[in-house]
Amino acid sequence: MMDKTRGRDKAMTDKYNVESAELLANEAQVLPIAEATPIYEQLLHLFPTAAKFWKQYVEAHMTVNNDDAVKQIFSRCLLNCLQVPLWRSYIRFIRKVNDKKGTEGQEETRKAFDFMLNYVGADIASGPVWMEYIAFLKSLPTVHAQEESHRMTVVRKVYQRAIITPTHHIEQLWKDYENFENSVSRQLAKGLISEYQPKYNSARAVYRERKKYFDEIDWNMLAVPPTGSYKEEMQWMAWKRLLSFEKGNPQRIDTASSNKRVIFTYEQCLMYMYHYPDIWYDYATWHAKGGSIDAAIKVFQRSLKALPDSEMLRYAYAELEESRGAIQAAKKIYENLLGDGDNATALAHIQFIRFLRRTEGVEAARKYFLDARKSPTCTYQVYVAYATVAFCLDKDPKMAHNVFEAGLKRFMHEPVYILEYADFLTRLNDDQNIRALFERALSSLPPEESVEVWKRFTQFEQTYGDLASMLKVEQRRKEALSGTGEDATAALESSLQDVVSRYSFMDLWPCSSNDLDHLSRQEWLAKNINKKVEKSLVLNGTTFIDKGSIASISTISSKVVYPDTSKMVVYDPKHNPGTGAGTNAFDEILKATPPALVAFLANLPAVEGPTPNVDIVLSICLQSDLPIGGKTGIPSQLPVGAAAPATSELSGSSKSHSHPVQTGLSHKPTNRQQYGKRKELDRQEDDDTTTVQSQPLPRDAFRIRQYQKARAGSTSQTGSVSYGSALSGDLSGSTG
């Protein structure tokens, strides 16, 4: 099924290949018209709203003076392609045809200009069209003064329409209008210009705002079915924004003119979003909400020609007809959707049954259902739908029961149908037939398809049965769904999960969410209890690596364990839990700490994560006014018995790895001999064990705490843990 869908999508994509279409159009331009015509017809069949292809096609015929073909092509494309370049080709053709017909030809040309401006005069690029029309009117010959006056009046009206239309050339048109009025009468010009100045200013402001939306639109895009590409989505959003802008009537013009502007924008949008059903639907519903039902119906009819396979648009169209009382028109839409019935979808059968029940009554719906049962596309959903109609609308539970029973003979293998039938019987409170239904279904369904049925059977017994029946069904369910492998016996055993399932109700549980997580984890562990752990065993978020995996330790990415900073305490290697000595020693250290150092530590920022931000610490150090020891009385070396704590232990912000010691110990650096012995000892320990503790230790205090925590957790499993000298602050781990 998936292969067929992918094949259709690929075929559709190849069919609407934009690059191939552009190449064909370029080839057709250099071919004789007889050879180019089939190519153009092929392109325009796929892209009926591609104005640039129509323009190339019609101009190819205009070149060879094939006027009849030109007229035919214009009649096919003009009203569906509201693009200024195409319409300018039209007016150029009209002027050429009527050029030598005298007054009659001039009148025909004037009508053609009015016709064109009525459709594309609102386009933001229509400025040259207005200018061309005005120039044409000014060029008309006049004999009498009355004709001259009439011509000037016509030109003035065209100017006044043009200067309130937001176009790219609005400023030029305004200047031309001022010059025109001043050339006719300066006294009259002053009043007319002051009258139209605010309207012009408003149109110019709207043009600047509208231009932002137009600049987002790709006017060379071809209309193709949506593929979900980023560019298509951006274009869809750009058109949506423009439509929303126009619907807001930014120019504050009258309702009729505003609606005309919205219609023009929708028509232009459909030139590029031709295959988007939501645009068609929005356009039709906008008409319907405005009271133009006939216009909405025409839009739906056009949409079905554009997208004949769209069931959504057919249902929306039928809904509009039904809502206005045109039942026969709506019925015809459904019948067209159903066709001969053999290729109709199950959903089409269901929706027609519901439509007939709403509009023609019980018998009409029942009669159609009896006919639909014979269709090869009749699925179990059709039975469920009609049974629901009979039960909920007709109030006929007996008929609904008969329908479910009739369907059970055909759809016993469908678990969903079994569950729908069980729901219906539950509404009737017919517990005996529900049990019988479950027994019949489970005796025929294979185990892999009966999971949901067993689950519903168990829930049913929890509601209708006693404790013995509940436990019995649960045990049967386990036996039916358990495997035949090593864990089959374990799967049959009772677990606390079963108790939780039996004694929960809706969103109420007999345990906390943590308990649920714990039980789920235990269930997973129980299923995998006999499986060998080859690399590592993860417990409580800490990774313990066995000796057999030492060889591959370099290839295993260790999991960083972040410490709980809220529970951190200052590390003291000689601290004895329970004695309180460490706390007392730390208090003494704080008392002996110079005030300047305490103030510095207090200004350090809170640490988030295992490693402090070194840049922040350095910046604070540079900004802090720490006096030099010799000038302030702070000794450069701490006296014996008052060792200052390491900065990293108090604030977590220093790179030092020294540690605070108890009172009575002096802070002395280790010599080279001690360092060499320690390195030798560490190397010996590396040979004895390869635990996490043996990995190179970071110099950061936070990570030192992390490894200390890991050692503390692994002491009970690996043996004793010994720490390094408190004087040097280096750590070494050994296992017993």
Side-chain angles (χ1 to χ4, degrees):
M1 185 66 180
M2 288 298 294
D3 293 339
K4 291 183 179 179
T5 303
R6 289 173 183 169
R8 285 197 300 269
D9 292 343
K10 187 176 185 302
M12 183 66 71
T13 303
D14 294 339
K15 179 181 177 182
Y16 289 96
N17 189 294
V18 175
E19 290 77 9
S20 299
E22 297 284 1
L23 290 174
L24 281 175
N26 292 335
E27 291 177 6
Q29 280 187 303
V30 298
L31 293 175
I33 189 61
E35 298 179 20
T37 296
I39 298 176
Y40 281 121
E41 289 293 341
Q42 176 187 351
L43 287 173
L44 294 169
H45 176 72
L46 293 176
F47 305 101
T49 58
K52 59 182 179 181
F53 291 163
W54 284 109
K55 183 173 180 291
Q56 289 181 19
Y57 189 20
V58 75
E59 287 181 348
H61 281 284
M62 289 171 63
T63 304
V64 296
N65 297 318
N66 193 349
D67 292 350
D68 292 337
V70 170
K71 292 178 181 178
Q72 183 184 14
I73 294 171
F74 276 132
S75 67
R76 292 167 57 190
C77 69
L78 279 180
L79 300 184
N80 293 326
C81 299
L82 303 184
Q83 190 195 55
V84 170
L86 176 63
W87 281 79
R88 294 195 73 181
S89 295
Y90 162 73
I91 207 68
R92 190 163 57 250
F93 169 72
I94 294 296
R95 295 190 71 170
K96 187 187 74 169
V97 170
N98 294 291
D99 186 39
K100 297 180 181 180
K101 293 184 179 180
T103 305
E104 182 182 353
Q106 293 170 356
E107 182 64 19
E108 290 296 325
T109 303
R110 189 189 64 79
K111 290 180 179 179
F113 268 113
D114 285 335
F115 175 69
M116 177 176 64
L117 290 171
N118 186 50
Y119 279 94
V120 298
D123 194 294
I124 198 171
S126 64
V129 177
W130 290 100
M131 292 179 175
E132 184 180 356
Y133 187 24
I134 292 169
F136 167 75
L137 293 175
K138 288 181 179 180
S139 67
L140 293 178
T142 58
V143 179
H144 305 290
Q146 185 177 0
E147 293 179 354
E148 176 68 18
S149 175
H150 176 71
R151 185 183 67 175
M152 290 302 166
T153 301
V154 173
V155 171
R156 178 179 290 112
K157 288 182 179 180
V158 175
Y159 263 125
Q160 291 172 351
R161 289 172 59 194
I163 60 176
I164 63 172
T165 303
T167 65
H168 295 311
H169 296 75
I170 188 171
E171 294 181 358
Q172 182 62 45
L173 284 165
W174 174 254
K175 292 178 182 178
D176 292 347
Y177 176 58
E178 285 183 319
N179 294 333
F180 168 75
E181 291 293 0
N182 287 322
S183 66
V184 175
S185 172
R186 288 187 174 273
Q187 294 180 349
L188 184 62
K190 186 175 181 180
L192 289 172
I193 290 173
S194 62
E195 177 185 352
Y196 276 88
Q197 180 82 47
K199 298 179 181 179
Y200 158 71
N201 291 336
S202 175
R204 185 177 60 176
V206 171
Y207 158 71
R208 292 173 179 172
E209 191 67 23
R210 180 176 290 158
K211 186 176 182 297
K212 299 176 184 177
Y213 296 97
F214 273 77
D215 290 343
E216 296 179 354
I217 295 172
D218 181 5
W219 298 96
N220 291 317
M221 178 180 174
L222 292 177
V224 297
T227 61
S229 68
Y230 177 77
K231 180 182 178 181
E232 289 175 354
E233 291 178 350
M234 291 300 101
Q235 288 299 299
W236 181 87
M237 292 173 63
W239 278 109
K240 283 285 189 177
R241 285 192 288 266
L242 177 59
L243 286 166
S244 178
F245 172 76
E246 297 297 353
K247 289 177 182 178
N249 190 7
Q251 204 169 343
R252 299 295 180 264
I253 53 182
D254 59 278
T255 303
S257 300
S258 175
N259 289 345
K260 186 177 180 181
R261 176 74 206 183
V262 174
I263 291 171
F264 172 75
T265 307
Y266 265 119
E267 292 292 342
Q268 278 199 324
C269 177
L270 287 171
M271 290 173 58
Y272 306 93
M273 304 282 113
Y274 187 71
H275 296 278
Y276 286 68
D278 60 303
I279 301 295
W280 287 104
Y281 178 76
D282 290 347
Y283 189 16
T285 53
W286 177 81
H287 273 303
K289 289 178 180 178
S292 303
I293 302 298
D294 292 338
I297 290 173
K298 290 180 180 179
V299 171
F300 273 127
Q301 291 172 346
R302 288 172 56 195
S303 72
L304 294 180
K305 291 180 180 178
L307 303 170
D309 297 330
S310 175
E311 287 191 39
M312 297 182 292
L313 291 176
R314 290 185 184 274
Y315 290 133
Y317 182 21
E319 186 178 78
L320 176 65
E321 294 285 16
E322 184 181 352
S323 64
R324 72 181 190 127
I327 305 302
Q328 292 304 315
K331 186 176 182 180
K332 185 176 180 180
I333 297 171
Y334 280 108
E335 290 173 345
N336 290 336
L337 179 62
L338 290 165
D340 56 6
D342 292 339
N343 297 322
T345 63
L347 182 60
H349 289 305
I350 293 170
Q351 297 303 334
F352 192 42
I353 289 172
R354 292 179 172 180
F355 169 78
L356 291 174
R357 176 61 182 81
R358 290 194 303 268
T359 58
E360 298 183 17
V362 177
E363 291 301 323
R366 182 177 302 172
K367 181 179 179 182
Y368 181 78
F369 169 70
L370 294 175
D371 292 337
R373 291 172 58 188
K374 304 172 185 177
S375 171
T377 59
C378 181
T379 62
Y380 71 87
Q381 290 95 335
V382 178
Y383 279 78
V384 173
Y386 181 68
T388 304
V389 168
F391 180 63
C392 297
L393 298 180
D394 303 342
K395 313 299 181 184
D396 191 348
K398 183 178 180 181
M399 173 60 71
H401 191 276
N402 291 339
V403 172
F404 272 118
E405 278 296 321
L408 195 62
K409 299 175 182 177
R410 292 177 58 179
F411 307 112
M412 179 66 81
H413 61 283
E414 293 287 352
V416 179
Y417 185 79
I418 303 300
L419 298 178
E420 290 291 339
Y421 192 5
D423 286 342
F424 165 72
L425 294 175
T426 302
R427 295 182 186 181
L428 298 181
N429 207 25
D430 190 354
D431 56 323
Q432 292 184 355
N433 279 328
I434 296 174
R435 283 193 179 90
L437 173 64
F438 282 130
E439 296 293 351
R440 290 165 61 191
L442 292 171
S443 64
S444 60
L445 284 173
E448 61 273 10
E449 296 182 7
S450 63
V451 176
E452 290 299 321
V453 179
W454 274 113
K455 181 179 178 181
R456 187 68 62 85
F457 194 10
T458 304
Q459 293 173 349
F460 166 77
E461 289 296 345
Q462 291 174 3
T463 304
Y464 285 87
D466 53 21
L467 182 59
S469 63
M470 290 165 54
L471 298 176
K472 182 179 179 181
V473 170
E474 285 187 7
Q475 188 62 27
R476 289 177 56 196
R477 174 174 174 268
K478 290 181 180 181
E479 293 174 356
L481 301 181
S482 63
T484 58
E486 297 177 357
D487 57 346
T489 304
L492 295 176
E493 296 177 358
S494 298
S495 66
L496 199 55
Q497 290 272 27
D498 299 332
V499 177
V500 173
S501 177
R502 284 196 295 270
Y503 290 94
S504 61
F505 183 76
M506 296 178 67
D507 58 343
L508 303 176
W509 301 86
C511 58
S512 65
S513 58
N514 289 336
D515 291 336
L516 281 177
D517 294 340
H518 182 63
L519 289 173
S520 299
R521 176 67 176 167
Q522 286 184 325
E523 185 180 10
W524 181 86
L525 290 173
K527 292 180 180 178
N528 297 274
I529 197 168
N530 294 324
K531 294 183 179 180
K532 296 180 180 180
V533 180
E534 296 180 357
K535 289 189 177 180
S536 63
L537 174 66
V538 180
L539 292 175
N540 296 327
T542 306
T543 304
F544 299 94
I545 305 177
D546 56 64
K547 293 184 177 181
S549 61
I550 294 175
S552 61
I553 191 170
S554 61
T555 62
I556 301 175
S557 60
S558 60
K559 179 180 179 182
V560 177
V561 181
Y562 291 92
D564 185 356
T565 56
S566 64
K567 297 181 180 180
M568 279 187 174
V569 296
V570 177
Y571 169 68
D572 187 350
K574 293 188 177 181
H575 173 66
N576 185 13
T579 63
T583 304
N584 295 333
F586 181 64
D587 292 338
E588 292 178 10
I589 292 172
L590 289 179
K591 291 177 182 179
T593 304
L597 181 57
V598 173
F600 168 73
L601 296 176
N603 289 330
L604 290 176
V607 177
E608 296 181 3
T611 305
N613 191 320
V614 178
D615 294 333
I616 294 177
V617 176
L618 291 176
S619 66
I620 293 175
C621 291
L622 293 173
Q623 295 173 13
S624 299
D625 188 15
L626 290 177
I628 301 175
K631 295 181 180 181
T632 61
I634 299 176
S636 59
Q637 292 182 354
L638 292 176
V640 175
T647 305
S648 63
E649 293 303 316
L650 292 177
S651 65
S653 62
S654 173
K655 293 290 182 180
S656 172
H657 53 274
S658 61
H659 299 277
V661 296
Q662 293 180 346
T663 304
L665 296 176
S666 62
H667 188 76
K668 298 180 180 179
T670 59
N671 55 33
R672 293 181 177 271
Q673 183 178 2
Q674 291 173 326
Y675 180 78
K677 290 181 180 180
R678 186 167 311 285
K679 293 289 289 183
E680 182 178 355
L681 178 60
D682 290 344
R683 193 177 301 111
Q684 181 180 356
E685 290 172 345
D686 288 341
D687 295 336
D688 294 338
T689 180
T690 53
T691 61
V692 173
Q693 294 88 338
S694 66
Q695 297 181 15
L697 293 173
R699 303 179 68 86
D700 182 70
F702 283 80
R703 298 195 180 183
I704 290 175
R705 292 192 185 96
Q706 171 186 329
Y707 280 87
Q708 292 170 7
K709 198 170 184 181
R711 282 197 176 115
S714 62
T715 301
S716 60
Q717 298 182 22
T718 61
S720 62
V721 178
S722 63
Y723 293 93
S725 171
L727 297 175
S728 68
D730 290 329
L731 301 177
S732 63
S734 63
T735 59

